[in-house]
Amino acid sequence: MNSSLGYGLVLAALGSAIFGAVVGLWTGLTRRESALPWVQRAVYAFSACMATANGVMIYALLTHDFSVKYVSQVGSRATPVVFTIVSLWSALDGSILFWGFIMGLYLFAFTWTYRKEHGRYMQLALGMMCAVGVFFAFLIAGPANPFGHVPNPMDDGPGPNPLLQNHILMVIHPPMLYFGYVGMVVPFGIAAGALLRGELGDSWMVPLRKWTLIPWLFLSTGIILGSWWAYAVLGWGGYWAWDPVENASFLPWLTASAFMHSTMVLERKRMLKLWTLALALASFVLTIIGTFMTRSGVFNSVHAFTQSDIGPTFLAFIAVLLVFSIALLSFRGRLLVAESSLDSVLSRETAILVNNLVFVAVTFVVFLGTAFPLVTEALQSKRISVGEPYFNKMALPGGLMVLFLMGVGPALPWGEASWATLKKQLFIPVGAALVTATACLALLGPGHWMALTTFALAAFTTAITLRELLLPAQARMAQNREGAFTAMFRSAVRARRRFGGYVVHLGIVVIIVGIAASSAYKVHETGTVAKGQSLALADWKIRFDGISSGVDARREWKAADITLVSPSGATETLAGLDGPRMNYYPMSNEPVGSPAVRAKISKDIYVSLLAFDAEKGSASFNAWIFPLVGWIWYSIPILVLGTLIALWPQKRREAAVEATVPSAGAPPPAPGLTTGASA
């Protein structure tokens, strides 16, 4: 019953997507706007079918219907309800089904938001989105069909991957990434529609920007949560290893970040039209490439699914996307003529352009290092690996450049800056950088020059960002005699996109500082100690107090009870589930480790259990001190807050005001350009 119903819904979604793609693209190209309601109905039908199909699969998982193929692969009567639901995206076929559900949500939300919009791009945009829906519906109905019928089902199944049950972050991290990946289909549809029309009007720059910012936020959150999960679960003492699947999520984040900066130049100066649309297309293509990396099994990764049959299908789709995108940019891009040119090297638009080039350069470096081993193996039947040294050497300088440009860009005006203005704008930020560098040298010593440079640039960028945040409030306090809080709130409300963008910049600075400090100044020790003895870790001591064990709803566990002794002599005991432990799942041959983490704002004490000997009363540990590593996860609320402020709808009058909000050293915008900067 569940197999037939679910598969029928997937076929109905496939038919709806085909209808929407054909009608949307044909009537859009022939400019028959009267057909728009039919395209909208097709989108609604696709969304409803995908949502219901996912509901059927969740019902089959909860009722332990092992006659459904996917349930027989990941279901188990012993698995708690929450992890039974989470198992929907714990394996290949279910994750593709879940992908279709999220795509349906995005298409429904976009269509409903602009249901009364008869703009020139709507049919073409929806047609392109439906065309992508055709591919994924076909994938679910064919190579990745989770609704296959099992003729002689077992009474129980293996349950989901133990790694997915070992931490609550796995309930949140994958959906965040999926919402980031799938959401890129909307800007792809809009950009492709604009290129098919050969024009990019102001009215469609707003949805193009906003519907890129939404998946960008999900992607950012998903990447950070994934790093946190790797740090809190895998026990290897890190959060980012330039793993191919980690890189797969990072690549579209880079191009989407470049895109959002590029839109500012397009709106203000009417430049970089083709470049901006190319970034929108590239972001979606990279999400499909990332999906291929994750689900085809061609890369070995703790994050990746096992070998599957969908690899050739994905490769064919990637080839079609590349040919289509390059053809669009080549044959239609010439119609998007720039209406101005760069006036000066010392200008905000130049800084943003350089920022874009750095983002793209880092994207190329990361993609090359990720794909090169695969290409070499395919051509020479020889497996090689590209590890952290390559990525750190090639990509980290680009990150420092981006951090520098995050500060320089807002300090420069649109148009041309005089040297006198530039010196005035940069005097205090440069002073902050020098003071920070001097203080860090005195406190931390002369080693780790890249980390010291990072701290100095972070101070430089923070000083400029805070000034840009406070300047409008200071102007209101002087002109309207408002209190500091009232002036700050009202200036943020009247320039939401600008204010939110600077808050996001602060979040990015926090992440970069956390990465630099935790990478350069970490302390590591490993050793075996008997009960009652201690492992020295810098000025700290880790005392081994014995082994404890227990059983919960889904696993057995054995933990090392430890006591942390601080340099001052204060003690803190981490025992039982709070201590470093080994988890034993029924269907797993190997234990899954969980480190103990004593997290503070300034540092984390991180202890991982390697092995134990109950008879001898000894245990082996890996232990680290990670300065400021928590700042990486603490950045999430800052990024969310800034993005929500930037996305919050504002009235047309407020949007016009935003384009004229004063910026340090920036003249008022040119007449006639405020409409394009509306939010």
Side-chain angles (χ1 to χ4, degrees):
M1 175 63 180
N2 288 322
S3 293
S4 300
L5 178 58
Y7 192 69
L9 287 166
V10 172
L11 291 179
L14 177 59
S16 301
I18 292 173
F19 179 86
V22 172
V23 175
L25 292 173
W26 176 255
T27 59
L29 291 172
T30 55
R31 312 201 174 196
R32 301 176 185 177
E33 294 188 5
S34 60
L36 178 59
W38 288 101
V39 183
Q40 293 171 331
R41 293 183 188 113
V43 170
Y44 295 148
F46 172 82
S47 303
C49 290
M50 279 297 179
T52 310
N54 276 262
V56 170
M57 181 57 73
I58 291 175
Y59 176 78
L61 288 165
L62 291 173
T63 57
H64 308 298
D65 183 357
F66 295 106
S67 67
V68 178
K69 185 185 76 170
Y70 187 71
V71 179
S72 70
Q73 294 172 348
V74 302
S76 172
R77 298 183 187 277
T79 304
V81 171
V82 62
F83 291 103
T84 296
I85 297 173
V86 168
S87 64
L88 173 64
W89 55 78
S90 68
L92 175 66
D93 295 349
S95 71
I96 299 295
L97 178 64
F98 187 57
W99 181 292
F101 166 65
I102 297 176
M103 180 174 292
L105 284 182
Y106 268 109
L107 267 61
F108 175 85
F110 179 78
T111 305
W112 181 259
T113 301
Y114 299 100
R115 63 190 180 279
K116 297 180 181 179
E117 174 65 56
H118 291 275
R120 292 186 291 271
Y121 308 131
M122 178 59 78
Q123 282 159 265
L124 290 170
L126 291 180
M128 289 304 309
M129 296 176 206
C130 285
V132 177
V134 169
F135 168 74
F136 280 97
F138 166 77
L139 206 61
I140 299 168
N145 174 24
F147 289 106
H149 178 68
V150 179
N152 298 304
M154 302 290 289
D155 292 332
D156 204 352
N161 189 326
L163 281 174
L164 304 181
Q165 304 179 59
N166 208 43
H167 200 283
I168 194 63
L169 280 175
M170 287 311 295
V171 178
I172 311 170
H173 158 57
M176 290 292 110
L177 278 183
Y178 289 152
F179 272 97
Y181 273 145
V182 182
M184 292 297 176
V185 71
V186 177
F188 171 78
I190 297 172
L195 283 166
L196 287 171
R197 294 282 305 196
E199 56 185 83
L200 184 60
D202 292 342
S203 61
W204 276 92
M205 271 310 301
V206 175
L208 180 57
R209 184 186 68 243
K210 284 192 171 183
W211 287 86
T212 304
L213 188 56
I214 292 170
W216 179 90
L217 174 61
F218 281 116
L219 195 58
S220 302
T221 306
I223 291 171
I224 297 171
L225 289 177
S227 301
W228 196 358
W229 173 80
Y231 176 79
V233 171
L234 299 182
W236 59 288
Y239 46 82
W240 188 268
W242 296 104
D243 177 280
V245 178
E246 292 173 340
N247 296 346
S249 63
F250 189 43
L251 292 171
W253 184 90
L254 289 167
T255 52
S257 299
F259 164 83
M260 287 184 295
H261 288 84
S262 180
T263 58
M264 292 189 292
V265 179
L266 192 155
E267 293 168 354
R268 182 65 74 110
K269 304 292 289 185
R270 296 298 189 269
M271 296 164 52
L272 307 182
K273 294 181 180 180
L274 183 60
W275 173 260
T276 302
L277 293 183
L279 289 172
L281 297 179
S283 297
F284 179 70
V285 172
L286 287 171
T287 64
I288 300 301
I289 293 175
T291 308
F292 167 74
M293 291 178 179
T294 309
R295 288 159 180 79
S296 64
V298 298
F299 288 101
N300 293 320
S301 167
V302 70
H303 306 81
F305 293 109
T306 56
Q307 295 288 336
S308 68
D309 297 327
I310 68 171
T313 309
F314 258 104
L315 280 177
F317 185 55
I318 291 170
V320 170
L321 278 178
L322 286 173
V323 172
F324 174 76
S325 300
I326 293 172
L328 268 183
L329 294 170
S330 300
F331 294 105
R332 305 295 289 176
R334 58 185 175 82
L335 301 177
L336 302 177
V337 180
E339 299 174 28
S340 63
S341 59
L342 290 175
D343 298 323
S344 170
V345 173
L346 297 178
S347 64
R348 186 173 300 191
E349 54 267 35
T350 300
I352 292 175
L353 177 58
V354 175
N355 171 284
N356 267 226
L357 295 175
V358 173
F359 270 123
V360 172
V362 174
T363 302
F364 175 76
V365 164
V366 174
F367 180 79
L368 181 64
T370 306
F372 185 74
L374 183 64
V375 175
T376 302
E377 184 177 2
L379 296 178
Q380 301 179 4
S381 299
K382 181 172 62 177
R383 181 177 291 272
I384 66 169
S385 62
V386 177
E388 286 189 57
Y390 163 82
F391 291 105
N392 291 338
K393 182 178 180 180
M394 300 298 292
L396 291 185
L400 290 179
M401 188 65 178
V402 168
L403 180 60
F404 172 70
L405 292 169
M406 282 171 55
V408 169
L412 295 173
W414 296 101
E416 184 175 0
S418 66
W419 282 105
T421 300
L422 188 62
K423 291 178 183 178
K424 180 181 178 181
Q425 291 296 101
L426 298 183
F427 180 76
I428 293 178
V430 170
L434 293 175
V435 169
T436 300
T438 303
C440 288
L441 277 173
L443 294 173
L444 304 175
H448 304 294
W449 67 269
M450 186 169 284
L452 295 174
T453 304
T454 301
F455 299 149
L457 290 177
F460 172 80
T461 298
T462 300
I464 293 174
T465 303
L466 291 176
R467 182 176 64 195
E468 293 296 311
L469 281 171
L470 297 175
L471 182 66
Q474 291 175 337
R476 293 188 65 90
M477 291 171 65
Q479 295 173 5
N480 304 334
R481 299 182 181 276
E482 295 176 345
F485 178 80
T486 301
M488 177 66 73
F489 178 79
R490 291 181 177 175
S491 64
V493 168
R494 292 172 69 86
R496 297 170 193 176
R497 180 186 169 196
R498 176 182 180 276
F499 193 92
Y502 286 131
V503 172
V504 169
H505 276 195
L506 290 177
I508 299 298
V509 171
V510 169
I511 293 173
I512 293 175
V513 170
I515 292 173
S518 61
S519 300
Y521 299 101
K522 64 185 177 184
V523 180
H524 177 226
E525 291 292 343
T526 185
T528 300
V529 294
K531 183 178 179 179
Q533 294 182 341
S534 298
L535 177 68
L537 181 66
D539 295 333
W540 288 73
K541 293 182 180 179
I542 303 168
R543 190 180 69 219
F544 173 46
D545 298 329
I547 298 292
S548 59
S549 61
V551 179
D552 59 27
R554 64 187 187 277
R555 64 193 172 188
E556 298 180 9
W557 54 267
K558 290 185 179 295
D561 299 335
I562 61 174
T563 297
L564 303 179
V565 183
S566 72
S568 65
T571 61
E572 181 178 354
T573 299
L574 301 176
L577 290 175
D578 293 328
R581 66 184 188 273
M582 297 289 189
N583 303 286
Y584 300 87
Y585 291 86
M587 300 299 178
S588 176
N589 295 325
E590 298 292 333
V592 178
S594 290
V597 182
R598 182 237 191 221
K600 299 294 182 182
I601 293 179
S602 60
K603 67 170 71 70
D604 280 9
I605 308 298
Y606 185 104
V607 184
S608 180
L609 177 62
L610 295 177
F612 62 89
D613 190 325
E615 294 182 359
K616 295 182 178 179
S618 63
S620 299
F621 298 98
N622 248 340
W624 288 266
I625 295 177
F626 291 112
L628 305 185
V629 69
W631 287 30
I632 301 173
W633 344 126
Y634 305 152
S635 69
I636 293 178
I638 303 174
L639 297 178
V640 171
L641 176 63
T643 305
L644 291 180
I645 292 173
L647 284 172
W648 200 264
Q650 55 190 125
K651 299 176 183 178
R652 191 176 298 273
R653 181 178 60 84
E654 292 175 338
V657 170
E658 177 170 5
T660 61
V661 170
S663 174
L673 295 183
T674 56
T675 303
S678 68

